[in-house]
Structures are given as structure tokens and as C-alpha cells.
Amino acid sequence: PIDSIKRIFRIKLQDYNLFLTVTDTDNNSTVHWAPPTNDDSQEWRFCTESDFTYSKGIDTASTVTASMLTKLKNEQDIRFVCKYIRRSLSDSLSTAERDLIHSHGLNIVCFFQTLSNYADYFSEFSAVIDATAAINVANALKMPEKAAIYFAVDYDALEANIQNNIIPYFRKIANVFSQNNVKYRIGVYGSGKVCKAVKDTNNIAELSFLCGSLGYQGTSSYNSITRFDVRQNAPQILYEGVYIDYDETWQSDFGQW
């Protein structure tokens, strides 16, 4: 057992040093024998269907419309919409769009993203600005306590970037939240390698949102419903004139509100 309390086990073929792992996380029905990886992440959870609550969502940087939300909900059973908050209120999810999404019976999940696609962006200086802005926007939107803000790392970060830039950035985010007695939960959006380092290894973020770029480091090994809280699926598509990504979760609580 890896964690008997959480019922997570690794099934090992002793003579060949191979492990049983999921290959199709859309329906969790296909398994195969696969070599172990350095990420030490190939796990199998014994469970019943009632242990997980599956729901689908979308994320988009564009403003959604009433007709789009109605169609997504009725025809595709979409349950949540992921939207961006940024350093200024004018560039963030608006209260009008918040109310429109909620009026359709859909939940909201929030990303925070500015220029988060290169290593030098991630510094303690940026973290103070971003954390403060995220708090201000979240308060303006009247986000409830325990809702999540997923801070984005939107590139394929190398190990040196993660240790020298990204982890200090998230530590400072957590520090600013703590100093201001903020109850919003910190999430991380990024590659499997980033999600593992920030959430699983250093426990800075409570939740992880696995990006849809499957070629990013550590993403294939982190692509398990026992690891990520939300997963983005590629490719991006044009839907009702709006570019969207499809997302999915097997968790009942992933910071939605």
C-alpha cells in the first residue's frame, strides 16, 4: 500500500519491476503493465463508483453568452465554467458574467493569470502583486470562503525553474494570504511536474488543475483522478463563436462556487 487510509495501492509484478496503471482516465476501465517512472506516481485506487463525483466543465478567456451556456448545459451536461481573474478588475470576470453563469445553475472556478508563461515572471515580487490583486478581485466578486483561486504556470517549466522561481512564488502567495487572513484556497494550474512540486511535494497549494498540454513534463504520469483535482482536455475548440477548452473532475469539491 502507498496510503492504506486513502485506499491507494501500487500493484507490482515483482520479477519484472512493473506496475499496474490506468491508461484511459476517461472511463477508468483500461489498464496495462507499464514501466515505473521517476515521478513515483503510478498508483491504483480500489474504489466504487460512489467514491467519485464526475462532472464536466469548460474554461474560456472570452465572455460567455446566455445561449452558449444554455446549449452547453442542456446538450453536453456542463456543470461548471472556469474564468480568469487578473491584476485589474476590468480584465477579470465581471459581476454581470458571474451572475449570468450562476443564473444557469452552473458553478464557477477561477484561474489567476497575467504573464505566467516564462520563468522570470515567477518571483516573490510578482507574487505579492498577484496575491493582492487576486484577493481584491475575489472580494469584489463576493467569492465565498474556501473557493479556490488556481494560479497559472502556463509553460513547460524545467526543474530549475520550479525550484528557483515557481516554488518561491507560491510560497509568497501563501504568505500574503496568511498575513491577510484570507480563506480562499490556493490552487496551482500547470504541468504534472509543476502540480506535483507545488501541491504534492511542498504542500503550498491545496488543489491542482492539470493543463491540457500532454507533452509537458510530468503530465502523463500525473494524469490520474487520484492526483489532479481538475483536468483540462486538449485541443481548444471554437464553440458558438467562443474558444473553449473542455475540463473534467471526479471530485465533489474542487474549489467551485
Side-chain angles (χ1 to χ4, degrees), residues 73-87:
K73 182 178 180 180
N74 293 342
E75 296 183 7
Q76 300 194 37
D77 196 26
I78 292 299
R79 309 279 185 85
F80 61 94
V81 178
C82 305
K83 294 295 299 180
Y84 289 89
I85 60 176
R86 307 191 191 275
R87 287 185 175 181

Side-chain angles (χ1 to χ4, degrees), residues 46-99:
F46 292 103
C47 62
T48 65
E49 289 185 1
S50 62
D51 288 331
F52 297 99
T53 303
Y54 178 76
S55 57
K56 297 188 295 184
I58 65 159
D59 66 79
T60 179
S62 301
T63 302
V64 297
T65 65
S67 61
M68 172 186 173
L69 293 176
T70 298
K71 188 174 179 180
L72 282 167
K73 182 178 180 180
N74 293 342
E75 296 183 7
Q76 300 194 37
D77 196 26
I78 292 299
R79 309 279 185 85
F80 61 94
V81 178
C82 305
K83 294 295 299 180
Y84 289 89
I85 60 176
R86 307 191 191 275
R87 287 185 175 181
S88 70
L89 283 170
S90 61
D91 293 329
S92 301
L93 169 68
S94 68
T95 55
E97 190 175 14
R98 172 204 65 190
D99 293 344

Side-chain angles (χ1 to χ4, degrees), residues 208-224:
S208 60
F209 200 127
L210 184 64
C211 74
S213 299
L214 298 179
Y216 281 8
Q217 295 186 59
T219 294
S220 60
S221 58
Y222 200 82
N223 194 9
S224 163

Side-chain angles (χ1 to χ4, degrees), residues 83-207:
K83 294 295 299 180
Y84 289 89
I85 60 176
R86 307 191 191 275
R87 287 185 175 181
S88 70
L89 283 170
S90 61
D91 293 329
S92 301
L93 169 68
S94 68
T95 55
E97 190 175 14
R98 172 204 65 190
D99 293 344
L100 179 65
I101 294 168
H102 282 161
S103 72
H104 282 75
L106 301 171
N107 287 312
I108 296 172
V109 177
C110 283
F111 298 108
F112 185 94
Q113 183 171 7
T114 305
L115 298 173
S116 55
N117 57 358
Y118 64 100
D120 288 345
Y121 173 83
F122 293 94
S123 66
E124 292 189 355
F125 177 79
S126 290
V128 172
I129 298 173
D130 290 352
T132 303
I135 293 167
N136 290 338
V137 174
N139 288 340
L141 289 168
K142 293 183 169 53
M143 284 174 54
E145 290 187 358
K146 303 301 181 182
I149 302 173
Y150 289 88
F151 290 85
V153 181
D154 201 12
Y155 76 107
D156 192 9
L158 302 175
E159 180 66 23
N161 302 158
I162 293 171
Q163 297 303 321
N164 298 329
N165 301 81
I166 293 166
I167 289 176
Y169 171 88
F170 274 90
R171 288 199 191 281
K172 181 57 73 171
I173 293 282
N175 179 255
V176 173
F177 274 40
S178 177
Q179 287 181 343
N180 289 275
N181 196 29
V182 171
K183 303 300 182 183
Y184 305 127
R185 288 184 286 172
I186 297 171
V188 53
Y189 166 92
S191 68
K193 193 174 185 68
V194 167
C195 289
K196 179 184 177 183
V198 176
K199 177 191 174 187
D200 300 355
T201 304
N202 290 280
N203 299 310
I204 311 168
E206 184 178 341
L207 301 163

Side-chain angles (χ1 to χ4, degrees), residues 55 80 109 148 150 185 207 229-230 249 251-256:
S55 57
F80 61 94
V109 177
Y150 289 88
R185 288 184 286 172
L207 301 163
D229 293 283
V230 190
T249 181
Q251 309 301 323
S252 59
D253 177 11
F254 49 99
Q256 76 276 29

